[in-house]
Amino acid sequence: MRVCDLIAGKSPFISLEFFPPKEKEAWPGFFEVVEKLKELGPLFASVTYGAGGGTQDNTLEIASRIKRDYGIEPITHLTSVGASGEKLDDFLKSLRDADIQNVLALRGDPPKGQDDFDFASQEFRHATDVIEFITERYPEMCVGGAAYPEPHPESPSIQSDLDMVKLKVDKGAQFLVTQLFFDNRLYFDYVDRLKSMGADVPVIPGVLPIMSLRSAKFILGLCGAAIPGKFLSSLERAHEDGGDEAVYALGMEYAIRQAQELIDGGAPGVHLYTLNRAEACLEIGRNLKI
Ligand code: FAD
């Protein structure tokens, strides 16, 4: 089923992001997490593609099993970096064969250690090209794109970032999922600006529950989002006073409040970055008034 139609029919909602575990031995434990998170009645679950390296082939299989065995509608992510049109087409055909009609179309990051990577050498230079490719060949697909309330680090300005996201919508993106962020004002302002530019599609905010100081710093280093100074210092204080447990409790409190404010302020739902763990998302879901 097309997630675009599901979103139109049910708001607000919770959705989930998973990444395919690299090693097959980890799959049973992974599916236990999916089973536990079914309790939240997620509208859909997205499965990353190649993020963290080397698991692209597993994206489709994990997504198919999430649909078949757990009855959760999947979105597969798809990145174009390093890929030919033929490769993308093969993946999209496999999606069609697996009866999956949802794809989050992405460019992807440069290969590890190649910060000066030249995207102009690629068959697909931008996510907008991937979106166009999919919508032309697979018009039945519900295609989404990534959005950045704190602009993408490569964007020369906030306006140019917004213009490119608007272009994603013009090329056929029917929904957007945001990079994680911690300040809801950024999200609401971003959605207002996109709407005023005529890009009026559901913008689903990505929420990351902070579970430990170390992992928070690692993830933020990867994606370029910022933790508000006050929140960061309270996390550090909590760590000094009460260790990991205190950080976890504060992270949960923040994520629940953030998600509730997003929903109360009119977000279509909240997309929880699960990091393939159940407890934190269960706690958020159980405490949200939806
Ligand atoms: P783009 O939209 O191409 O943006 C990259 C830069 O190019 C931006 O500055 C943008 O403004 C600019 N730009 C876009 N289109 C044009 C254009 N037509 N002309 C000129 N400039 C343009 N990575 C993975 O490897 N696997 C995943 O599964 C994955 N999932 C993600 C899910 C979400 C919700 C998000 C927010 C990110 C995800 N990422 C994933 C990370 C993503 O690949 C990186 O952020 C990457 O650097 C940019 O990808 P993009 O699709 O946003 O690229």
Side-chain angles (χ1 to χ4, degrees):
M1 188 157 185
R2 287 160 46 85
V3 158
C4 312
D5 301 331
L6 291 175
I7 295 172
K10 185 178 187 283
S11 182
F13 58 82
I14 289 176
S15 56
L16 306 169
E17 180 184 292
F18 296 107
F19 61 87
K22 277 188 196 156
E23 313 299 340
K24 285 247 170 170
E25 301 81 70
W27 284 28
F30 168 77
F31 285 115
E32 276 172 28
V33 169
V34 177
E35 172 69 40
K36 284 187 190 154
L37 286 170
K38 256 182 83 171
E39 177 192 315
L40 300 179
L43 191 70
F44 64 85
S46 79
V47 183
T48 66
Y49 186 88
T55 57
Q56 294 177 355
D57 292 343
N58 292 335
T59 299
L60 179 67
E61 198 179 335
I62 294 268
S64 302
R65 286 182 60 178
I66 285 178
K67 184 179 172 94
R68 190 194 63 204
D69 300 341
Y70 301 90
I72 303 172
E73 203 54 47
I75 295 180
T76 55
H77 297 198
L78 174 62
T79 61
S80 62
V81 59
S84 62
E86 203 182 336
K87 187 173 177 208
L88 293 199
D89 202 45
D90 281 349
F91 185 81
L92 291 159
K93 274 192 202 123
S94 316
L95 280 190
R96 186 187 265 167
D97 293 345
D99 197 27
I100 295 174
Q101 290 95 7
N102 309 297
V103 64
L104 187 73
L106 300 145
R107 182 201 69 181
D109 284 319
K112 253 197 191 126
Q114 294 185 42
D115 290 345
D116 57 352
F117 186 76
D118 182 11
F119 280 100
S121 66
Q122 296 288 294
E123 199 170 326
F124 299 88
R125 192 168 175 180
H126 304 290
T128 44
D129 305 325
V130 189
I131 292 168
E132 193 168 25
F133 181 85
I134 302 173
T135 48
E136 274 174 6
R137 285 160 193 246
Y138 296 83
E140 76 280 11
M141 284 273 174
C142 165
V143 184
Y148 301 85
E150 291 174 84
H152 186 277
E154 288 167 38
S155 292
S157 68
I158 293 176
Q159 190 54 49
S160 101
D161 195 87
L162 284 160
D163 289 342
M164 292 312 126
V165 173
K166 159 86 164 64
L167 192 57
K168 291 186 187 186
V169 175
D170 292 344
K171 297 275 185 193
Q174 295 165 69
F175 67 96
L176 299 165
V177 182
T178 78
Q179 184 60 279
L180 60 97
F181 60 90
F182 295 95
D183 182 347
N184 287 348
R185 286 172 305 180
L186 294 171
Y187 168 82
F188 289 120
D189 182 51
Y190 185 76
V191 174
D192 283 349
R193 290 177 77 167
L194 279 179
K195 263 196 194 144
S196 71
M197 291 163 65
D200 195 5
V201 296
V203 183
I204 308 164
V207 171
L208 174 81
I210 288 195
M211 299 182 227
S212 82
L213 207 48
R214 201 157 26 98
S215 81
K217 285 184 175 165
F218 175 71
I219 291 162
L220 294 169
L222 284 182
C223 78
I227 296 194
K230 234 168 118 181
F231 181 36
L232 181 60
S233 50
S234 46
L235 283 169
E236 283 172 340
R237 253 197 329 274
H239 193 253
E240 276 164 27
D241 297 345
D244 289 345
E245 254 177 56
V247 171
Y248 183 89
L250 198 61
M252 281 307 101
E253 194 188 306
Y254 195 94
I256 292 165
R257 197 172 53 241
Q258 184 186 8
Q260 191 66 57
E261 272 177 25
L262 286 165
I263 283 167
D264 293 346
V270 283
H271 190 59
L272 301 178
Y273 289 108
T274 67
L275 305 183
N276 290 359
R277 291 175 60 178
E279 328 80 64
C281 294
L282 282 174
E283 194 169 335
I284 295 170
R286 286 172 185 156
N287 283 285
L288 276 186
K289 293 181 195 72
I290 288 195

